Amino acid sequence: MHRDFPFGNDTSAKNMVLLDMKQSDVTGDGIIDNIYLIGSKTNVAQFYIDHITLLIQDGRTNHISTVTFQYNGGYNARLFLGDFSKDHVLDILVSIDSGGSGGYGYYYIYSFKDHILRQLFDVEQYNQEYLFEVNYEDFYKVSVKSASLNILFTIDLSNKGQEYLSQFYDENGKLKHPVQGGALALGILYPVVTTNKELSYDLLAFQRIIGPTNSDTLGSIENHLTWNGTQFISSILNISLPGSKLKPLD
């Protein structure tokens, strides 16, 4: 059953706009609830939205719970409902694009089961946990490593071409000087269906790997996250690399 936007005509005075809305049972009581994502902008033509806020309106009592975010400004703010915690009750995923050349995203997941708000995923916590060092090595290699995660990946640069490689390597494949790249903060977070019958979801997180400049994309860190009962843990962690042109046969 559709319900009107809960702030009525007051939204125009506050420059508030409705960004997205979903209707489904997120408490587990069998009654449809209303989930709103709202924000403010100074004029109609503005694409950037500030003060993005989540509103959960209980379908039984009409009581509205308000959720604010650490990063509450951006573009293309949207909602997705899915059972990430595998408890047969839909959770709420909020996604916000930061804009700019970094391509960062702000993501938050909440459970409202039994009318109790619980945060399941926080983008800042994720970014602090999944930190990587990216260093160029001799002989056209780049190491991507995390001591805390006890993992090392190696990227082969030998197909990047002489013009690129000569910036960093001498004719013997040795580095001319230390060169560092970087692994950027979380860029994309996708829901991934794990069980078609019950429509439960995992998460697939992407972080871009870059060279010395932001425009120099070397690959992406792909992290498959699954809920273990108390938190999201990494079940598969790997990197993906862009393809290169085939070299003609002699």
Side-chain angles (χ1 to χ4, degrees), residues 17 31 33 46 50 74 87 101 117 120 128 167 172 180 200 208 230 237:
V17 293
I31 300 175
D33 307 301
Q46 180 179 331
D50 204 359
D87 60 2
S101 60
L117 183 69
L120 306 182
Q128 291 176 3
Q167 300 176 79
N172 298 314
Q180 288 187 325
S200 62
R208 195 157 60 93
T230 58
L237 183 64

Side-chain angles (χ1 to χ4, degrees), residues 128-183:
Q128 291 176 3
E129 183 174 353
Y130 291 94
L131 296 172
F132 297 86
E133 295 180 18
V134 179
N135 293 295
Y136 282 58
E137 310 286 354
D138 289 337
F139 307 115
Y140 317 120
K141 306 291 184 183
V142 172
S143 64
V144 181
K145 62 183 178 181
S146 170
S148 61
L149 300 174
N150 191 28
I151 196 165
L152 169 67
F153 301 104
T154 302
I155 299 174
D156 184 358
L157 298 178
S158 58
N159 289 327
K160 292 284 278 185
Q162 185 59 30
E163 182 179 356
Y164 179 89
L165 296 175
S166 62
Q167 300 176 79
F168 315 117
Y169 295 95
D170 64 21
E171 62 276 9
N172 298 314
K174 294 283 191 176
L175 280 170
K176 297 177 180 179
H177 50 77
V179 181
Q180 288 187 325

Side-chain angles (χ1 to χ4, degrees), residues 217-237:
T217 299
L218 302 179
S220 296
I221 298 167
E222 297 184 2
N223 194 1
H224 188 136
L225 302 165
T226 189
W227 186 256
N228 72 350
T230 58
Q231 62 182 340
F232 283 101
I233 60 171
S234 177
S235 58
I236 303 173
L237 183 64

Side-chain angles (χ1 to χ4, degrees), residues 7-211:
F7 288 119
N9 294 330
D10 289 342
T11 57
S12 58
K14 298 178 182 179
N15 297 317
M16 301 299 291
V17 293
L18 178 62
L19 306 174
D20 200 359
M21 176 189 176
K22 302 292 183 184
Q23 292 182 304
S24 196
D25 176 21
V26 295
T27 65
D29 63 2
I31 300 175
I32 298 298
D33 307 301
N34 299 299
I35 301 91
Y36 302 94
L37 199 61
I38 64 172
S40 66
K41 58 181 180 178
T42 56
N43 59 73
V44 175
Q46 180 179 331
F47 291 103
Y48 182 85
I49 305 295
D50 204 359
H51 301 103
I52 297 172
T53 304
L54 173 67
L55 305 177
I56 307 170
Q57 185 178 40
D58 180 64
R60 179 171 55 86
T61 65
N62 286 334
H63 178 267
I64 296 175
S65 299
T66 302
V67 183
T68 57
F69 316 113
Q70 179 179 359
Y71 300 105
N72 63 357
Y75 302 84
N76 192 30
R78 56 207 180 273
L79 295 168
F80 178 88
L81 303 183
D83 181 14
F84 296 99
S85 56
K86 315 298 191 294
D87 60 2
H88 308 291
V89 177
L90 297 180
D91 305 305
I92 304 167
L93 166 62
V94 177
S95 305
I96 306 169
D97 298 336
S98 68
S101 60
Y104 306 121
Y106 307 136
Y107 300 93
Y108 306 92
I109 299 178
Y110 296 93
S111 166
F112 202 54
K113 183 180 179 181
D114 298 327
H115 304 87
I116 300 172
L117 183 69
R118 183 162 61 112
Q119 187 169 32
L120 306 182
F121 184 91
D122 176 77
V123 63
E124 183 61 24
Q125 181 180 344
Y126 180 90
N127 287 334
Q128 291 176 3
E129 183 174 353
Y130 291 94
L131 296 172
F132 297 86
E133 295 180 18
V134 179
N135 293 295
Y136 282 58
E137 310 286 354
D138 289 337
F139 307 115
Y140 317 120
K141 306 291 184 183
V142 172
S143 64
V144 181
K145 62 183 178 181
S146 170
S148 61
L149 300 174
N150 191 28
I151 196 165
L152 169 67
F153 301 104
T154 302
I155 299 174
D156 184 358
L157 298 178
S158 58
N159 289 327
K160 292 284 278 185
Q162 185 59 30
E163 182 179 356
Y164 179 89
L165 296 175
S166 62
Q167 300 176 79
F168 315 117
Y169 295 95
D170 64 21
E171 62 276 9
N172 298 314
K174 294 283 191 176
L175 280 170
K176 297 177 180 179
H177 50 77
V179 181
Q180 288 187 325
L184 302 185
L186 181 61
I188 302 174
L189 188 70
Y190 288 127
V192 179
V193 174
T194 57
T195 305
N196 286 323
K197 183 178 180 180
E198 298 179 354
L199 280 184
S200 62
Y201 292 85
D202 283 350
L203 295 169
L204 188 58
F206 290 84
Q207 295 169 258
R208 195 157 60 93
I209 305 168
I210 63 171

